[in-house]
């Protein structure tokens, strides 16, 4: 079979690949016979990439050459990850610019999070290739229900970089319910409780006539077994400081050793009433501590209690009471903890399903989904899958307000249309700022993308009729289009994540060796920075010819001249960071000029001229966002 599609659970802690054998999904083991591939990537001393179990020893021996929990950084920007930087030993490249894709340092080399995830995916692909004795090129990959657009895009990018065509991204809880074959029940309500290493998800699924519908999702992207590990590490470090007078909290190797020991102790306590935490410290000292399960349960209670709020919220969103839940599915390695099972049972007032291995169930479900996509077997033929979008999507309207177009928990694929107009007379461009989140103000939501609809014929404010259409495809990727209906002008984008990789960046990562891809990337950065410098310098020339220029003080003009000269000097050099710094400085320095130009353009328009006649041009000012339309 050439068109074999595998199902992949790309986990924070562990990853797996599975496929459909007859009518039963099975996990494909690695060469070592183990199903779970730890999501750990390291560079050995010859700069070869090592993945999985073999990479784990590097976390301890050469932590500066290894990385784990990379899923936490997928599709995220530097300002999103301050928490992770405190909790995890991620080493970022030190020349990162704001808005640039993150890069993680392994030894002397740097990689983006999708590249690191791609190493894990390649390992899974190798395992599958070996298993089938033929290359596998197509996959379904699962993501937490809470992943936003940027995180989903980054996951798709990782697949492509690894040489896999990603046919579908599936929410992990949806996959789990498929693995349990709960569709055969025909009707009922299912709660999927997923407590893994790094994320917590709760999903409420409704089954009608054998069809799944996710009616609500909630969760916490910062909750899982890692939190338990970190708590135990903190306690151990305090103990070591208090009892032994030794501060090893800054000793990466010692902390990694402690991490390994506490995870072993935690796992032991899931099946036995007590264990001993044992760590060999630098200088040959030993740290020993007996832990009883009861004591462990008390310690972790506040962590596992944090799953209660999201569960209640999901039930509320679904309009259901706990007693209306018919089935509860446990997912994630941390649900092996007996106390977690007790909590889940109490919350939903019924015994959860535990027949399948909780850390394999998502990959098994991904394999079921893969089978559906490949034409399926009789077992899955008529199964329809519905997912929901976890966060509301909308655009910014006049006054910096969020206008929601698709509400959270809408079933996807989904589409919706809203009408807007201009807020200024003669406005020929409108800015469409795409937002994700529940907050009222645009600044409090996540910015997904910006684009402009240009070339609207000059009309008084309130007359243009701008139709904005949102479409979320089956992968949860958003497509936005805007059309001015009187003139037929159109603009359209597939929403690229704010911190994502461009298509070109992904292509180059696929085609080139990682070394030359880095060079390419740098080269492109230089070209892009130079282009941007050209644009801002041209805009400045225009500004100097505008009446607004005369309103600047001579000190302001002098400062601008200095910044302009600085940019001109670095522009032709190969240092894109220097160019970017100079661009930012000039942007900052010309802020007031831009404001003055905007003011004069607006007042010219008010005096009866249109915006086209006023010298707005492509000055360093942005067009206005759309205004809410009165008409419908
Ligand atoms: P993820 O989906 O985040 O990759 P997994 O579902 O593989 O995570 O779960 C990994 C987490 O489960 C880790 O924090 C691991 O320590 C924890 N875990 C695995 N087995 C056990 C166990 N027997 N008892 C308690 N925790 C466990
Ligand atoms: Mg998981």
């Amino acid at each position: 079979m050439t068109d074999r599609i595998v199902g992949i659970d790309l986990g924070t802690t562990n990853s797996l690949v599975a496929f459909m054998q007859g009518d039963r999904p099975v996990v494909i083991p690695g060469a070592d016979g183990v199903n779970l591939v730890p999501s750990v990537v390291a560079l050995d001393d010859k700069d070869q990439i090592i993945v999985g179990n073999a990479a784990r020893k590097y976390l301890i021996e050469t932590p500066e050459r290894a990385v784990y929990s990379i899923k936490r950084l997928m599709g995220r920007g530097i300002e999103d990850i301050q928490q992770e930087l405190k909790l995890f030993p991620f080493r970022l490249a030190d020349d990162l610019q704001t808005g640039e894709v993150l890069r993680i340092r392994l030894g002397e080399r740097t990689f983006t999070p999708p590249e690191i995830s791609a190493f894990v995916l390649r390992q899974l692909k190798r395992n599958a290739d070996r298993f089938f004795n033929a290359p596998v090129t197509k996959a379904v990959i699962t993501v937490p229900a809470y992943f936003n657009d940027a995180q989903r895009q980054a996951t798709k990018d990782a697949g492509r970089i690894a040489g896999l065509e990603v046919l579908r991204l599936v929410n992990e809880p949806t996959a789990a319910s498929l693995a349990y074959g709960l569709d055969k029940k025909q009707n009922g309500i299912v709660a999927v409780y997923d407590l893994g290493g790094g994320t917590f998800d709760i999903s409420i699924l409704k089954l009608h006539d054998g069809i799944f519908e996710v009616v609500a999702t909630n969760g916490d992207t910062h909750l899982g077994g890692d939190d338990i590990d970190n708590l135990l590490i903190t306690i151990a470090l305090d103990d070591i400081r208090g009892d032994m007078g030794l501060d090893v909290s800054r000793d990466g190797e010692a902390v990694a050793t402690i991490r390994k020991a506490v995870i072993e102790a935690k796992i032991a306590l899931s099946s036995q009433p007590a264990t001993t935490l044992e760590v060999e410290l630098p200088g040959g000292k030993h740290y020993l501590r007996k832990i009883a399960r009861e004591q462990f349960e008390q310690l972790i209670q506040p962590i596992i209690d944090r799953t209660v709020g999201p569960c209640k919220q999901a039930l509320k969103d679904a309009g259901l009471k706990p007693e209306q839940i018919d089935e509860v599915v446990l997912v994630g390695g941390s649900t092996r903890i007996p106390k977690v099972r007790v909590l889940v049972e109490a919350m939903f007032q019924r015994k959860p399903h535990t027949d399948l291995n909780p850390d394999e169930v998502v990959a098994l479900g991904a394999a079921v989904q893969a089978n559906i996509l490949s034409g399926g077997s009789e077992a899955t033929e008529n199964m329809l899958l519905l997912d929901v979008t976890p966060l509301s999507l909308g655009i910014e309207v006049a006054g910096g307000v969020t206008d929601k177009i698709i509400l959270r928990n809408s079933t996807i694929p989904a589409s919706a249309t809203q009408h807007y107009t201009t807020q200024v007379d003669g406005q020929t461009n409108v800015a469409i700022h795409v937002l994700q989140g529940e907050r009222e103000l645009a600044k409090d939501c996540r910015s997904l993308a910006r684009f402009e609809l240009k070339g609207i014929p000059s009309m008084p404010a309130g007359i243009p009729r701008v139709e904005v259409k949102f479409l979320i495809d089956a992968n949860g990727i958003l497509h936005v289009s805007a059309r001015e209906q009187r003139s037929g002008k159109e603009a359209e984008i597939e929403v690229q994540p704010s911190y994502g990789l461009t298509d070109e960046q992904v292509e180059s990562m696929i085609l080139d060796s990682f070394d030359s891809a880095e060079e390419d990337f740098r080269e492109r950065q230089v070209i892009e920075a130079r282009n941007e410098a050209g644009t801002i310098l041209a805009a400045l020339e225009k500004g100097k010819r505008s009446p607004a220029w005369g309103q600047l003080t001579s000190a302001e003009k002098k400062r601008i001249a200095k910044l302009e000269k600085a940019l001109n000097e670095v522009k032709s050099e190969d240092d894109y960071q220097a160019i970017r710094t100079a661009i930012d400085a000039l942007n900052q320095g010309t802020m007031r000029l831009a404001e003055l130009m905007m003011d004069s353009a607006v007042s010219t328009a008010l005096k009866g001229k249109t915006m086209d006649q006023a010298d707005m041009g492509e000055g360093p000012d942005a067009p206005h966002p759309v205004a809410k339309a009165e008409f419908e």
Side-chain angles (χ1 to χ4, degrees), residues 423-428 461 546-548 551 593-617 621-625:
Q423 49 169 319
V424 178
D425 284 337
Q427 188 178 336
T428 57
S546 79
Q551 287 172 258
L593 173 63
E595 279 164 16
L596 289 169
M597 284 172 74
M598 173 86 83
D599 287 350
S600 77
V602 171
S603 63
T604 311
L606 288 178
K607 277 181 217 143
K609 293 187 198 167
T610 68
M611 299 285 275
D612 289 344
Q613 289 161 318
D615 191 17
M616 284 281 288
D621 47 292
H624 300 277

Side-chain angles (χ1 to χ4, degrees), residues 318-357:
L320 294 168
K321 297 201 160 50
E323 57 270 25
Q324 289 174 278
I325 301 291
D326 300 305
E327 310 274 343
V328 179
V329 173
L330 288 183
V331 180
S334 299
T335 64
R336 290 177 194 259
I337 298 172
K339 189 74 177 178
V340 172
R341 297 189 172 186
V342 170
L343 178 137
V344 174
E345 190 176 335
M347 193 158 41
F348 293 104
Q349 299 168 21
R350 68 181 48 249
K351 272 219 177 309
H353 282 277
T354 50
D355 329 344
L356 294 176
N357 195 333

